[in-house]
């Protein structure tokens, strides 16, 4: 997988979540994608469940900001960022896995109390 | 898994690799652990293969430095760092998964060209 495409997808994701853009979310994920956020919770499976998940996030309002460069390896990318919502800032690392079409098929978010 | 234990293991790992301490490596990993470094390469399976892998790294000489906080989720931790070797610095994110005994059973390293 092309590293430039994976890095561009990370930038698109940061924008999508921060600006409440569900169209961008739909562009990023494959129809059969899974989202486990945080790792250890029940995954959201399929694009409909994923859209519903991001709609709930958008209802709260959140700003994401990268705190380091995205790290690409094979068909995966890991990236560190902060998520600020209601005056509280969480530190998170997400890992995306891509399919052959360049869509994200798996997202895992590492964060916790 | 206790977040404090996972964070302490990350600190121990940074020290182990930076100071060429194979004893610490042996404390960190379970006997049946796998190490995929970088993601997409053939994994090193089992503690003997893992020790051989770190011995090769130590032969080159490398210093690791955390560049952000470790992010804990369930039985996993993800952490951003740099690895400096022979005047070259790589940006990496590692993900550890722990077993019930508090040992790392899976390590995946995200980095590339």
């Amino acid at each position: 997988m092309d590293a430039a495409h994976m890095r561009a997808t990370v930038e698109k994701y940061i924008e999508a979540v921060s600006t409440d853009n569900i169209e961008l979310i739909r562009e990023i994920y494959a129809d059969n994608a899974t989202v486990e956020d945080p790792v250890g919770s029940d995954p959201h499976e399929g694009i409909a469940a994923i859209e519903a998940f991001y709609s709930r996030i958008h209802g709260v309002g959140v700003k994401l900001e990268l705190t380091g460069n995205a790290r690409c390896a094979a068909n995966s990318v890991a990236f560190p960022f902060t998520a600020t919502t209601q005056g509280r800032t969480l530190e998170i690392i997400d890992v995306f896995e891509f399919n052959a079409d360049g869509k994200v098929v798996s997202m895992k978010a590492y964060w916790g109390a």
Side-chain angles (χ1 to χ4, degrees), chain A:
Chain A
M1 180 60 50
D2 179 52
H5 169 73
M6 294 197 286
R7 286 202 189 89
T9 301
V10 168
E11 296 284 353
K12 192 185 281 192
Y13 180 75
I14 296 290
E15 181 189 343
V17 176
S18 297
T19 63
D20 191 3
N21 188 331
I22 209 78
E23 291 293 329
L24 276 184
I25 291 291
R26 210 174 285 131
E27 284 178 26
I28 290 167
Y29 282 106
D31 288 348
N32 64 340
T34 59
V35 168
E36 189 178 344
D37 187 352
V39 164
S41 63
D42 288 340
H44 308 284
E45 298 180 344
I47 193 67
I50 290 168
E51 286 183 27
F53 169 66
Y54 285 100
S55 295
R56 288 196 296 279
I57 291 179
H58 293 153
V60 181
V62 61
K63 295 292 174 201
L64 306 188
E65 192 171 354
L66 284 171
T67 55
N69 289 318
R71 276 78 153 177
C72 300
N75 66 335
S76 297
V77 61
F79 54 100
F81 63 98
T82 54
T84 301
T85 179
Q86 298 175 315
R88 186 165 163 245
T89 298
L90 280 173
E91 295 182 297
I92 306 177
I93 286 175
D94 275 9
V95 176
F96 287 167
E97 285 182 34
F98 290 77
N99 66 15
D101 296 327
K103 301 288 189 179
V104 177
V105 287
S106 165
M107 181 278 237
K108 290 174 187 274
Y110 295 85
W111 62 275

